């Protein structure tokens, strides 16, 4: 009976075949990390035509990736480029048409909220500021959010009732080349070391190119997700971390419970007030989920982290919803949010923003292939 054992001559060939086929038989080839100079050079190629001071922008973006320890993969670089192009067309302190008028209307609203008549409020703005112009004249002449923020902070200490009525209520909430939230920047700077000397305050740093890029990159890429498309990060950039994941979860809750919900990504109220509409809808499933109201609330409080996806609530809601729908449901979707801001005059949505950024991202990735 012939032997079934391979011959000695066949053993080397068999070993080579196994080495080629089985990943456990050899070390995976790893790409060499890009050097800072290589990242800056790649950024220079990826930025759209017409960007001024390309080397300066490349240096600040590369420094942000390094400080935040984010992988400078081409896709990530293009994501930052796309958001910056959408938000400011690569202007470190972008101009806003009609900003002075918008600011005065906002100040009127702030005073009205304290039941101060508009005439009294405007009279306070007729006081001369340190440069000889009245505060109203300076506000009317403001063309950028950085300029307006500086005027506002200076005005708080000099306008009658300014500190009592306006302190901590600066109407400029976003700024810089990536229009990042100032509140987010201040929180991040309190949680981890900011890599640059602070010029005055973190608010002021947001309006610089280096600070705006650093905080914007952190907001866009500085959190873990299970998304398979950057499109949903772009939506989260506008609506808040995990808004796309949470909007998809709301859809699943609506399917499982039969209760219509706004798919805005807001699952729970964190201020301890009454339950959100989403939480009320989840409570309607409590018997099927085997959770009481306290357990449901505790799970929903994880909605601002990736850990929410590891909860029994998350998994079981999808199981119920997919059983009712008869098919698999997406784990991410664009939130249905209408954008509201004094600066916005058209009917815009988070989906519109995400799709516009995604178009710019795809053009950037196209440039990478040339």
């Amino acid at each position: 009976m012939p032997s079934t054992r391979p011959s000695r001559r066949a053993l080397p060939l068999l070993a080579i075949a196994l080495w080629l086929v089985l990943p456990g038989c050899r070390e995976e080839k790893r790409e060499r990390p890009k050097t800072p100079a290589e990242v800056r050079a790649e950024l220079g190629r990826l930025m759209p035509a017409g960007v001024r001071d390309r080397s300066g922008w490349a240096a600040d973006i590369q420094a942000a990736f390094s400080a935040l320890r984010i992988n400078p993969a081409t896709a990530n670089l293009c994501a930052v480029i796309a958001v910056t192009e959408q938000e400011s067309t690569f202007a470190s302190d972008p101009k806003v048409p009609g900003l002075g008028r918008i600011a005065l209307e906002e100040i009127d609203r702030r005073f009205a909220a304290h039941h101060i008549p508009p005439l009294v409020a405007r009279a306070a703005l007729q006081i001369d500021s340190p440069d000889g112009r009245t505060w109203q004249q300076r506000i009317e002449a403001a063309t950028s959010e950085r300029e307006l923020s500086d005027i506002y902070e200076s005005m708080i200490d000099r306008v009658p009732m300014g500190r009592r009525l306006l302190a901590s209520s600066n109407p400029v909430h976003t700024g810089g080349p990536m229009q990042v939230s100032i509140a987010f920047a201040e929180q991040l700077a309190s949680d981890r070391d900011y890599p640059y000397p602070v010029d005055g305050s973190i608010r002021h740093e947001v309006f610089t190119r280096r600070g705006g890029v650093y905080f914007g990159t952190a907001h866009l890429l500085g959190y873990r997700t299970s998304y398979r498309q950057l499109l949903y990060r772009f939506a989260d950039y506008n609506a808040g971390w995990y808004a796309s994941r949470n909007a998809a979860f709301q859809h699943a809750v609506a399917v499982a419970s039969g209760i219509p919900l706004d798919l805005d990504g807001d699952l729970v109220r964190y201020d301890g007030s009454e339950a959100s509409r989403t939480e009320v809808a989840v409570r309607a499933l409590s018997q099927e989920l085997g959770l009481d109201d306290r357990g449901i609330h505790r799970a929903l409080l994880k909605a601002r982290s990736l850990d929410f996806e590891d909860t029994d609530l998350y998994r079981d809601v999808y199981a119920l919803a997919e059983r009712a729908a008869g098919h698999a449901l997406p784990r991410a979707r664009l939130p249905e949010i209408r954008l509201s801001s004094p600066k916005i005059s058209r009917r815009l949505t988070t989906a519109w923003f995400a799709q516009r950024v995604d178009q710019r991202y795809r053009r950037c990735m196209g440039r990478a292939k040339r």
Side-chain angles (χ1 to χ4, degrees):
M1 181 175 178
S3 172
T4 58
R5 295 175 59 188
S7 68
R8 289 185 178 182
R9 292 182 61 185
L11 284 174
L13 295 175
L14 178 61
I16 292 172
L18 288 171
W19 184 86
L20 290 172
V21 174
L22 300 178
C25 295
R26 58 186 167 87
E27 291 186 4
E28 292 292 330
K29 183 179 178 181
R30 296 181 179 179
E31 290 188 10
R32 176 181 61 81
K34 300 173 185 175
T35 67
E38 288 171 337
V39 175
R40 292 193 294 269
E42 183 176 8
L43 283 162
R45 295 190 298 271
L46 293 176
M47 281 184 274
V51 174
R52 297 181 179 180
D53 190 15
R54 302 174 80 85
S55 61
W57 281 102
D60 285 338
I61 295 172
Q62 180 272 315
F65 272 81
S66 179
L68 294 165
R69 299 182 182 181
I70 294 174
N71 178 16
T74 300
N76 287 341
L77 298 179
C78 275
V80 170
I81 286 171
V83 170
T84 306
E85 185 182 10
Q86 175 66 32
E87 294 286 31
S88 70
T89 59
F90 283 86
S92 58
D93 189 25
K95 306 298 181 184
V96 180
L99 182 63
R101 172 187 54 78
I102 294 169
L104 287 172
E105 291 173 353
E106 178 66 16
I107 289 172
D108 285 345
R109 283 193 290 271
R110 298 296 175 102
F111 275 91
H114 289 84
H115 308 291
I116 297 174
L119 287 177
V120 176
R122 287 300 177 95
L125 299 181
Q126 298 309 312
I127 298 172
D128 288 342
S129 72
D131 73 356
R133 292 178 294 172
T134 67
W135 291 108
Q136 180 165 333
Q137 289 171 334
R138 288 183 63 180
I139 292 170
E140 288 174 336
T143 59
S144 74
E145 289 178 313
R146 178 178 188 173
E147 183 182 2
L148 178 61
S149 181
D150 289 345
I151 293 170
Y152 196 87
E153 291 201 322
S154 178
M155 183 178 69
I156 285 172
D157 289 325
R158 294 174 173 85
V159 170
M161 300 179 292
R163 179 157 294 281
R164 180 167 67 87
L165 298 177
L166 303 173
S168 76
S169 298
N170 192 317
V172 180
H173 302 298
T174 60
M178 295 182 72
Q179 288 292 285
V180 69
S181 161
I182 293 169
F184 169 84
E186 291 172 339
Q187 182 61 52
L188 183 67
S190 70
D191 292 340
R192 61 187 298 168
D193 292 336
Y194 180 59
Y196 301 108
V198 177
D199 181 14
S201 68
I202 292 298
R203 169 178 280 273
H204 292 165
E205 284 296 306
V206 168
F207 291 104
T208 66
R209 184 175 67 191
R210 69 184 189 185
V213 165
Y214 171 83
F215 291 115
T217 299
H219 188 39
L220 177 64
L221 299 172
Y223 65 112
R224 297 181 302 123
T225 77
S226 57
Y227 298 148
R228 296 184 179 181
Q229 298 178 56
L230 277 165
L231 173 70
Y232 300 115
R233 279 191 185 269
F234 300 147
D236 285 4
Y237 190 83
N238 179 262
W241 284 0
Y242 301 104
S244 299
R245 190 270 315 272
N246 293 347
F249 178 78
Q250 286 174 313
H251 176 247
V253 172
V255 171
S257 66
I259 300 173
L261 292 173
D262 293 329
L263 308 184
D264 57 9
D266 289 333
L267 302 190
V268 64
R269 296 196 172 106
Y270 292 88
D271 58 5
S273 61
E274 63 183 12
S276 67
R277 284 179 54 83
T278 299
E279 185 167 354
V280 171
V282 176
R283 287 178 181 178
L285 301 168
S286 61
Q287 187 171 354
E288 295 94 323
L289 296 170
L291 290 170
D292 59 16
D293 290 355
R294 181 176 296 181
I296 289 169
H297 186 71
R298 187 164 51 246
L300 290 176
L301 287 175
K302 297 183 178 181
R304 290 178 176 173
S305 74
L306 187 62
D307 294 341
F308 180 55
E309 296 171 30
D310 292 328
T311 64
D312 291 337
L313 173 68
Y314 182 86
R315 289 190 291 265
D316 292 348
V317 163
Y318 270 103
L320 291 173
E322 290 175 341
R323 194 179 309 141
H327 57 79
L329 297 177
R331 278 7 183 213
R333 65 181 293 152
L334 296 178
E336 298 174 5
I337 303 173
R338 181 177 177 181
L339 304 185
S340 177
S341 167
K343 295 183 294 183
I344 298 174
S345 57
R346 294 181 292 159
R347 184 180 179 86
L348 303 179
T349 64
T350 291
W352 172 88
F353 173 85
Q355 289 161 352
R356 285 293 297 268
V357 175
D358 194 58
Q359 290 170 4
R360 297 181 188 279
Y361 164 76
R362 293 179 184 281
R363 288 199 291 269
C364 178
M365 292 298 289
R367 292 192 290 271
K369 296 177 182 178
R370 295 175 188 169

